[in-house]
Amino acid sequence: MHELSLITAMMDLILKDAQSRGIRKITRVELKVGEFSGAYPHALREAFAVASRATPMEEAELVIEEVPAELRCRECGAVFRPSETGWACPSCRSQNVLLQGGLELEIQSYHGRDGDVGQGRSRQGYSSGEQEES
Amino acid sequence: MSVKVVVGKDILAVNRKRAEDLRARFKQMGIKVVNMLSSPGAGKTSILEATIPRLQKVRAAVIEGDVATTRDAERLSHLGIPLVQITTLGACHLDASMVWKALEEMDLSRVDLLFIENVGNLVCPASFDLGENLRVVVLSVAEGTDKPAKYPAAFLSSQVVLINKMDLVPYTDFDLERVLGEVRAMKPDMKTFTMSCRTGEGIDRWAEWLEKWVRESQ
């Protein structure tokens, strides 16, 4: 239900970043969404279709990598998926387990074009993002 | 020219930053903050109604989150404490900027503990840090035994679980040991309390623990 908030937060981050790099059109956005993140890919896509209208992201392809929940046993190191019957380790029955994947809600990358990224300033001073030409 | 920009950032980075700002602000004011999560009807407001009068030396305030009504705030108004209602107009969770705005309407100069009652929902509120120091998830007996495994994000991000409506246990197939086992499997150091707002059972123990937590963590 909160997917629209997530999508608008994602769009704000990307549009701001794109603007600072002189990127005028976003063609592709790659997200990583964990199984236990509480966000559903289908609802994210619906929200994106609505929220991106009349923005530089309107025609962007939204690619969602779904990350399955993954547990690791702190006792024997086994890696396994949570089951209906609980989170105990299937190998040693220990309940001392750690969720090591499945809560992700990340913007991996985005693709853009029509920018003047090849020249000067827009390439400098971004510690949080790397830029590759393709 | 086409470019790829590697971002590698949490979608909620902006909310997280705002929440960190809130946390710093609360710290400066000497206020501890509790964010309460649950399904609709699990008893968040009833727990506040029962808990706040039992706090001896800790002065409380409440921010109430609700989708459409001010009913919960009305229920708490007789407590005579600073109280602000956030009506989210449909949004299924509170976020840090809503809390930031609510603070403008509150006098917190004589407050030690701020409760934020989130919108009743076990999914969405789990993702939004509100600058709290403690996250409490309420589970009521009538909801059944399987909630922790079904809503792991809410439980994993909380430090305390309150199991409410214990007076209903004889009428249901609620399995307390199983729930506690599942919660511990998820998070071995989770603090759990059982209670019933209807009978008052267990409220004292929780209120005492909470008061101690506020005073010790100051």
Side-chain angles (χ1 to χ4, degrees):
Chain A
M1 227 174 118
H2 61 315
E3 280 82 358
L4 188 59
S5 310
L6 296 175
I7 285 294
T8 50
M10 174 275 280
M11 287 179 57
D12 286 347
L13 278 172
I14 291 182
L15 289 173
K16 222 181 203 172
D17 186 88
Q19 198 183 22
S20 72
R21 290 169 200 267
I23 295 171
R24 284 193 280 269
K25 195 174 176 68
I26 316 291
T27 52
R28 180 183 167 103
V29 175
E30 292 171 2
L31 306 182
K32 213 176 204 184
V33 176
E35 183 181 352
F36 284 170
S37 68
Y40 296 93
H42 175 72
L44 288 171
R45 283 195 190 91
E46 299 267 309
F48 183 66
V50 175
S52 64
R53 265 180 218 154
T55 75
M57 296 177 92
E58 186 166 16
E59 287 163 41
E61 180 192 4
L62 183 65
V63 180
I64 298 176
E65 181 191 340
E66 297 181 42
V67 184
E70 192 175 80
L71 297 164
R72 187 168 55 79
C73 177
R74 288 195 180 102
E75 306 290 336
C76 75
V79 172
F80 55 98
R81 301 246 312 122
S83 80
E84 284 292 311
T85 52
W87 287 22
C89 173
S91 310
C92 72
R93 306 308 309 162
S94 166
Q95 292 209 327
N96 188 4
V97 300
L98 176 76
L99 186 71
Q100 63 176 13
L103 291 173
E104 296 81 359
L105 268 180
E106 281 170 31
I107 306 170
Q108 293 282 92
S109 62
Y110 68 88
H111 296 228
R113 63 180 153 80
D114 291 337
D116 52 354
V117 291
Q119 303 156 17
R121 233 190 235 235
S122 57
R123 278 181 164 271
Q124 296 165 12
Y126 297 103
S127 52
S128 64
E130 299 162 36
Q131 192 167 306
E132 299 160 7
E133 285 173 23
S134 55
Chain B
M1 193 194 304
S2 176
V3 291
K4 176 183 177 181
V5 179
V6 178
V7 182
K9 246 192 197 167
D10 190 323
I11 291 179
L12 291 167
V14 172
N15 185 72
R16 195 145 297 161
K17 169 74 178 64
R18 195 70 319 185
E20 286 307 330
D21 293 345
L22 272 173
R23 219 175 331 267
R25 190 167 159 190
F26 290 135
K27 191 174 178 187
Q28 201 183 13
M29 297 165 93
I31 297 173
K32 292 285 148 189
V33 181
V34 174
N35 179 5
M36 294 184 71
L37 265 56
S38 82
S39 320
K44 293 184 297 303
T45 312
S46 298
I47 289 173
L48 290 178
E49 274 182 299
T51 305
I52 291 169
R54 282 176 166 88
L55 299 173
Q56 312 270 327
K57 292 179 188 141
V58 165
R59 297 162 299 180
V62 175
I63 293 177
E64 269 293 335
D66 202 300
V67 173
T69 75
T70 57
R71 284 180 196 168
D72 288 352
E74 284 157 21
R75 279 171 60 188
L76 295 174
S77 58
H78 70 277
L79 295 174
I81 56 168
L83 174 65
V84 167
Q85 168 86 46
I86 302 176
T87 305
T88 63
L89 301 176
C92 49
H93 60 273
L94 297 180
D95 66 31
S97 62
M98 294 179 195
V99 173
W100 190 274
K101 220 167 144 202
L103 292 183
E104 287 167 13
E105 299 169 36
M106 294 185 100
D107 177 11
L108 294 175
S109 55
R110 284 182 296 275
V111 168
D112 310 299
L113 171 62
L114 172 64
F115 291 101
I116 304 174
E117 183 181 332
N118 220 310
V119 177
N121 179 341
L122 276 180
V123 182
C124 319
S127 303
F128 292 83
D129 187 350
L130 303 181
E132 71 265 24
N133 307 105
L134 188 74
R135 190 174 282 192
V136 174
V137 59
V138 181
L139 168 67
S140 69
V141 163
E143 291 166 64
T145 306
D146 59 358
K147 288 294 168 293
K150 275 189 165 169
Y151 300 94
F155 284 82
L156 282 167
S157 65
S158 297
Q159 291 80 41
V160 178
V161 178
L162 306 181
I163 302 178
N164 188 28
K165 307 191 189 181
M166 285 301 287
D167 54 306
L168 295 181
V169 167
Y171 312 105
T172 67
D173 50 12
F174 187 78
D175 184 342
L176 181 62
E177 282 315 306
R178 202 172 139 204
V179 172
L180 294 176
E182 280 197 11
V183 165
R184 275 187 219 112
M186 275 181 168
K187 208 167 173 171
D189 57 350
M190 188 87 92
K191 190 89 193 142
T192 57
F193 294 91
T194 54
M195 60 185 57
S196 162
C197 290
R198 175 155 295 213
T199 66
E201 167 205 342
I203 304 280
D204 281 335
R205 207 165 62 88
W206 144 248
E208 277 163 28
W209 178 87
L210 185 64
E211 194 152 29
K212 212 168 144 218
W213 171 78
V214 173
R215 302 220 310 271
E216 282 177 2
S217 55
Q218 256 166 3

